[in-house]
Structure formats: structure tokens, C-alpha cells
Amino acid sequence: GFGGEGPGERDADNLSFLMAPDQAEDASEVSALAELAAQNLQLKQRLRHVLAQLHTLQEEVHKHQEDASQWQTRYWSVQEHQRFLEAVRIYGKKN
């Protein structure tokens, strides 16, 4: 082989030395397109995985928002405090 390579050790995909120049360009373009297609498939699979994770996280956020909306703060709103003061004024501080 060339440069110390034994028979069959040469890259099997790089057979352009056996082809006419225009065929070598076509083979190179086909190889590049095949690589792009493989990368495209990998990206699509990754995107599907990430979208599934996003959906799961959105469901978790929605669940926690629902839970939080049922909780009540320990402080009164301004309206609640005003109603309390009015009740104390009307009914006094004792039962």
C-alpha cells in the first residue's frame, strides 16, 4: 500500500483514486450528503427527547401552580384587614 498501509487498510470510503475526476466529486458530494442526513437524524432524535423533557417540566410547573393557588398566605389582604377592623369596631374586641 501507500505510506506503509497494508492491502485493505486504506479507507474503504475513499476510493476516489479509482474514479474519473467528475465521478470523484459526485462521490464526495454523496458522502457529504449522507453525513448531513445522519446528523439531521441525530438532531431530530435529540429534539424529540428535549421536547419530551420540556413537556414533562411544563406539566410539573402547571401542577405546582395549581397547588400554590390553593395555598393561602399567612397575611391578610388589605380588604380582609379592613373588614376585620370594621368587625372589631362593630362587635368589639371580645366574643
Side-chain angles (χ1 to χ4, degrees):
F2 299 128
E5 294 176 341
E9 291 184 39
R10 205 176 302 130
D11 185 10
D13 291 333
N14 190 7
L15 299 177
S16 60
F17 67 94
L18 296 175
M19 300 176 199
D22 60 333
Q23 289 175 325
E25 285 181 23
D26 290 345
S28 177
E29 289 173 1
V30 168
S31 178
L33 286 173
E35 186 177 331
L36 287 173
Q39 289 174 351
N40 190 14
L41 286 175
Q42 288 175 345
L43 289 172
K44 284 181 179 182
Q45 289 171 345
R46 189 170 170 199
L47 179 59
R48 278 194 292 272
H49 178 72
V50 168
L51 288 174
Q53 287 179 322
L54 177 61
H55 181 71
T56 300
L57 291 172
Q58 286 173 329
E59 286 177 342
E60 286 289 319
V61 167
H62 183 70
K63 177 182 157 191
H64 288 291
Q65 286 175 337
E66 286 178 348
D67 291 346
S69 69
Q70 294 173 1
W71 294 352
Q72 203 169 10
T73 63
R74 67 174 245 192
Y75 300 105
W76 291 348
S77 68
V78 173
Q79 286 178 329
E80 289 170 324
H81 184 65
Q82 289 302 321
R83 289 188 358 219
F84 169 76
L85 292 177
E86 185 179 341
V88 168
R89 184 178 52 78
I90 293 172
Y91 300 106
K93 293 183 181 182
K94 297 184 180 184
N95 293 357

